[in-house]
Amino acid sequence: MAIRIEFQKHGGPDVLKAVEFTPGDPAENEIQVENKAIGINYIDTYIRSGLYPPPALPSGLGTEAAGVVSKVGKNVTHIKAGDRVVYAQSSLGAYSEVHNVPADKVALLPDAISYEQAAASFLKGLTVFYLLRKTYEIKPDEPFLFHAAAGGVGLIACQWAKALGSKLIGTVGSAQKAERAKQAGAWQVINYQEESVVDRVREITGGKKVRVVYDSVGKETWEASLDCLQRRGLMVSFGNSSGPVTGVNLGILNQKGSLFVTRPSLNGYVTNRAELEEASNELFSLIASGVIKVEVAPDQRFALTDAQKAHETLESRATQGSSLLIP
């Protein structure tokens, strides 16, 4: 028997329950992973709440974890039992002691990277990879705006931007978070509680504004983000922690300078094993060389059975960087 977290109905963190189950064998193109550390991501709260409803209820939760392969399906040749692996694009159910995952969605984990580092950084790191390297290729010395710079994705983006020699302007909600983003490599930091993001971006760039804005906040920042863009600039909306952007009048893109907007996700950029290897190799080399540091605060490590508390903490916006469930 093993334990996993599931929910029978949509709602707040209190709908999450720990249940016992008997893991089935992996299918022919799957592997079975004994999870050692499980990543908690903001998208998990959208699925739980019903914003992004799962295929059916009751449902498991989570798509990211690192662990040891315990069984392999009969068609799997590139992974064997005993391998250390990490995954971030599994079917729902990673909040579990054991999870069956499509073998092509799994990356082999170098010995230099711990299970906790991997689970804390894989989905977020792959997200930063596609944002800064594929959606728009950030150039050295190029200033750009990145919202929520002290969040899990944001702190990796600060470090990656610094490694690229580019100038990340990060928004944060407190002086403490400003300090954290700066330490991670943000070029400039804007505390949106105390100053106008648009005015500060104009000031920092000498009135030029930026070519690209990365926005995971959504509803609260949509218009301000557009106002930070140069003519024909690109607005990258990749999350909605303040609520979804809805009822958009496309004419606003014309009025604000013939702007472009995209709503990307990892599943649109990493679609096969070759793309996963390209992205994970670049991420792992940056982590293994210490260019990207992945640290999880002790109070952001939760027992698997404390998933409810973990979600309450995440949604309070009190966290910095990544949070983990430990089976």
Side-chain angles (χ1 to χ4, degrees), residues 199-258:
D199 291 348
R200 282 288 290 131
V201 167
R202 282 179 189 277
E203 194 182 314
I204 290 165
T205 60
K208 289 180 183 170
K209 302 194 279 188
V210 293
R211 290 273 310 136
V212 61
V213 173
Y214 295 99
D215 188 336
S216 61
V217 179
K219 190 166 130 186
E220 282 176 14
T221 48
W222 163 251
E223 288 238 12
S225 290
L226 298 181
D227 286 333
C228 291
L229 284 167
Q230 295 172 10
R231 184 165 56 98
R232 300 200 306 273
L234 174 65
M235 162 67 168
V236 183
S237 172
F238 70 100
N240 22 249
S241 58
S242 70
V245 178
T246 55
V248 172
N249 166 17
L250 279 180
I252 199 170
L253 301 175
N254 171 7
Q255 293 154 22
K256 293 183 183 292
S258 297

Side-chain angles (χ1 to χ4, degrees), residues 111-178:
D111 290 341
I113 298 171
S114 72
Y115 295 119
E116 292 198 5
Q117 282 178 309
S121 67
F122 199 52
L123 181 61
K124 298 171 185 74
L126 295 183
T127 298
V128 175
F129 171 81
Y130 86 72
L131 290 173
L132 303 192
R133 311 289 284 138
K134 300 290 182 182
T135 305
Y136 176 96
E137 197 167 345
I138 294 292
K139 311 287 189 297
D141 287 329
E142 180 168 30
F144 64 99
L145 185 65
F146 203 103
H147 286 288
V153 174
L155 287 173
I156 292 174
C158 288
Q159 296 174 79
W160 207 315
K162 190 178 179 184
L164 293 171
S166 57
K167 297 174 170 177
L168 182 145
I169 304 167
T171 72
V172 295
S174 71
Q176 186 192 12
K177 288 186 173 183

